[in-house]
Each structure stands twice: as structure tokens, then as C-alpha cells.
Amino acid sequence: MTNEHTTISLAHGAGGGAMHSLIDELFLTAFGDGPLLQKEDQARLPLADFLARGDRLALTTDSFVVSPLEFPGGDIGKLAVCGTLNDLAVGGAIPLYLTAAFIIEEGLPLALLERLVGSMAEAARLAGVSIVTGDTKVVERGMADKLFINTTGVGVIPAGLNLAIGSALPGDKILVNGHVGDHGAAVMLAREDLGLVGELASDCAALQGLIQPVLAHCAGVRCLRDATRGGLGGVLSEIAGASQVSIQLVESELPIRPQTQALCELLGLEPLFLANEGMAAMVICPEQAEQALALWRDHPLGRHARIIGEVLAPSSPGRLSLMTPYGGERLLEVPHGLQLPRIC
């Protein structure tokens, strides 16, 4: 990008030449697509694109404030795309479009912004979606933490598909597609103030390619959630509460990396409540659990998929517990606050 500045200045948000240069040379170059290149205040999208794929519109929005902006396995740009697309995918939607709004703090290095925008564009390209409209604001130093990104995702839900958080039934099985807590652990290690060293990487990934084959072949999927903030334990507690059932996990079946487990033991954290950015938790009828497991293991993002527990009769609605290797049971309680701030 050609610019006399090496960092973002207030001029980049003032509506003049500097702002137009930033938009044209950075954002339009990275995200350039039909609707975006029209430079209108809205994206004009043909209804035929939606009607050809389903009968309901899916809409989600999210804001991303992770610190640091770059971490092993990802960055805030990739996170903004994957996190929003996953919120669509776990509801059964086919993601089609994204919007992106940037709140940039004065002084952010332009080279860093270029890397993050490029990462965002690549994540969208790999996921097969278009970033079709957006916004940029620049705020004074101290009014933001370098960069905040808000994204809105638009998709379509195929006719006849109805996934709901309150639909789990006794006997249903719980599946996950990958390791627990990788994102949270990677971000912790990337924070210099903790003084920790490790080789963990975030699991940040777009999950629609993993999810859609299961939905196409397994009519017994009750619900899906992406285990982000609050982690796997958080979303399973939500499912148990909404469905008025209990959920029991089997500790020996939980796919937790030794490095993540060791880090949590060092800091006194529970890995089940660490954030993930490439993990889906599925509740499915017992007759189709093995079929769904095989489909997930055929996908690169599901090589480590496992059946980790089951739904129990609602003697204690909303209860989440862990069966230990010694036959005991440990109650899992969602933390009142955050285990670790600014994780996604």
C-alpha cells in the first residue's frame, strides 16, 4: 500500500483523501468483490441466491477484541471470519455473505493492518464467502486497544432443517470434532505478560465444510454449537439447561492435549471452559452417532473427533458432570466470570 504514513492516523478516518486511499488500496484490494466495488452504502444482493438454497434467512453478528492481535494459528482477521461463519454453520445455515466493520486506534502500524486484512480476505476466500460491505472508523489513541472488528454473517437454512438448543433428549450422544481449549491456551501463551512458553496453536477454522455433510446424511442431529467463549463446558451447560436434561461426559474420552492440560493445571484453570474457535459440539440420536463420527473423521477438521458423553434423563435439569476414570462423578459448574479476558 502506497502511503506517506507508516501508521494509522486520524486522517485515515476523516473522509478525505487519506481515508479513500486506505479503503481503495487496502480494503477494496483485499476484499474486492462485485457489491463491494460499487462503493455504495449498502450491498445489493440478488434474492435468487437465497431462494435457490433454502427457505429461511440466517443472520448473525459478532465483535472481536482479542489480545494480542496475532497469535499462533491465527489472528483477529481470521478469527472474525471463522467465528461469524461458524455461528451460521452450527444453526444449519449455508453461509453466503459477510459484512466487516473496523474500529482502528490511531497509531496502529499499517503493515500490521495489511497483514490482518489479508488474513481475513484469505479466510473468506477459503470458506467460499464474499465480504460485500463494511465500514471503517479511526479513534484517538487510548480509545481502543489497537483494533476491533465487527462482522455480520448472512446465510440460508435449507428447507426442513430445524436445529434447536432445547432439543436434546435422554440417550443422545455428545460429539466433538477436535481438541478442547486449543484457542484459549494458544492466546494465553501468546501474551507476554504471562511469561509462558509453548507450542500450542489456535484451532481457528471455518466449520461449514465439516458440518454440512453430517446434516445431509444424519437426520438425527438435534443441535450443534460452536464452543467459543465459555468453552465446551459452557455450551453443553446451555444445552442441558435449555433442554431440561442432564449431560454426563466421560473424562477418558475428552480430547485434551497434554500441553493444554499442563497449562491449565499450572494456572488453576479448567480446560473444558477454555475458548475454542474451530470446535463444534454435536448432540445426535444414539442410532446415528457412529455414522456422524465417521463422517467427521473423514474431514481434516475432524480427524480427532470423539463421542465424549451422553444426555441423561432430566432428574437434575441443566446438570453437567464428568465421569472420572475411577468411576466417580465430578460436577462441572460454569465459572461466574471469565477464566481469561479478551480471548475472542
Side-chain angles (χ1 to χ4, degrees):
M1 175 178 174
T2 59
N3 197 297
E4 67 271 21
H5 301 288
T6 59
T7 61
I8 290 292
S9 69
L10 292 177
H12 287 111
M19 187 187 82
H20 291 291
S21 175
L22 181 71
I23 292 172
D24 291 347
E25 298 180 29
L26 178 57
F27 294 109
L28 291 187
T29 298
F31 301 149
D33 208 323
L36 194 64
L37 292 176
Q38 294 170 8
K39 296 187 180 181
E40 299 285 357
D41 285 337
Q42 78 287 120
R44 299 162 185 175
L45 308 172
L47 290 177
D49 286 352
F50 300 98
L51 296 174
R53 293 173 169 87
D55 64 353
R56 285 158 295 161
L57 186 70
L59 183 69
T60 187
T61 190
D62 207 344
S63 298
F64 298 86
V65 295
V66 66
S67 179
L69 297 179
E70 297 176 295
F71 44 83
D75 53 62
I76 192 173
K78 180 181 180 182
L79 190 64
V81 170
C82 295
T84 302
L85 295 183
N86 291 345
D87 285 345
L88 292 173
V90 295
I94 301 169
L96 297 178
Y97 303 108
L98 285 172
T99 75
F102 298 81
I103 298 176
I104 311 169
E105 186 180 25
E106 177 189 15
L108 182 74
L110 272 170
L112 174 58
L113 182 60
E114 289 178 15
R115 289 199 304 274
L116 298 173
V117 169
S119 175
M120 195 171 181
E122 177 67 4
R125 184 190 67 80
L126 291 174
V129 300
S130 299
I131 297 174
V132 292
T133 190
D135 184 56
T136 303
K137 294 292 187 293
V138 178
V139 298
E140 292 89 348
R141 293 177 189 267
M143 292 187 65
D145 188 359
K146 304 180 185 69
L147 177 67
F148 300 154
I149 300 177
N150 174 271
T151 46
T152 294
V154 183
V156 178
I157 301 175
L161 181 60
N162 295 286
L163 303 179
I165 189 173
S167 60
L169 298 175
D172 287 347
K173 301 298 183 182
I174 312 295
L175 279 71
V176 295
N177 65 293
H179 290 98
V180 174
D182 279 4
H183 176 72
V187 172
M188 278 194 285
L189 290 174
R191 293 181 173 172
E192 296 178 358
D193 55 335
L194 289 179
L196 300 173
V197 178
E199 297 180 353
L200 285 166
S202 171
D203 60 343
C204 184
L207 294 171
Q208 66 265 31
L210 175 84
I211 289 171
Q212 287 170 6
V214 174
L215 295 180
H217 291 90
C218 299
V221 177
R222 312 285 193 205
C223 64
L224 283 157
R225 295 297 297 269
D226 56 330
T228 53
R229 197 167 31 178
L232 179 62
V235 300
L236 292 180
S237 292
E238 291 176 6
I239 292 170
S243 300
Q244 289 294 287
V245 297
S246 299
I247 292 178
Q248 185 177 78
L249 306 180
V250 180
E251 186 173 10
S252 59
E253 295 300 322
L254 294 176
I256 303 175
R257 297 185 195 276
Q259 306 98 304
T260 299
Q261 185 68 51
L263 182 65
C264 287
E265 290 176 358
L266 177 65
L267 298 176
L269 303 177
E270 170 56 69
L272 285 168
F273 296 108
L274 282 186
N276 311 269
E277 288 294 344
M279 172 185 282
M282 179 196 301
V283 180
I284 188 169
C285 69
E287 296 82 7
Q288 292 185 327
E290 291 293 340
Q291 181 185 2
L293 181 65
L295 287 168
W296 268 8
R297 286 181 172 173
D298 281 341
H299 191 279
L301 296 177
R303 288 192 299 265
H304 302 287
R306 291 189 188 178
I307 299 172
I308 61 167
E310 67 178 322
V311 178
L312 304 180
S315 56
S316 300
R319 190 173 191 268
L320 178 65
S321 64
L322 189 67
M323 181 64 69
T324 72
Y326 308 103
E329 187 179 35
R330 178 162 66 93
L331 185 65
L332 295 170
E333 296 186 0
V334 178
H336 178 70
L338 295 174
Q339 289 202 112
L340 186 69
R342 301 292 304 280
I343 207 73
C344 57

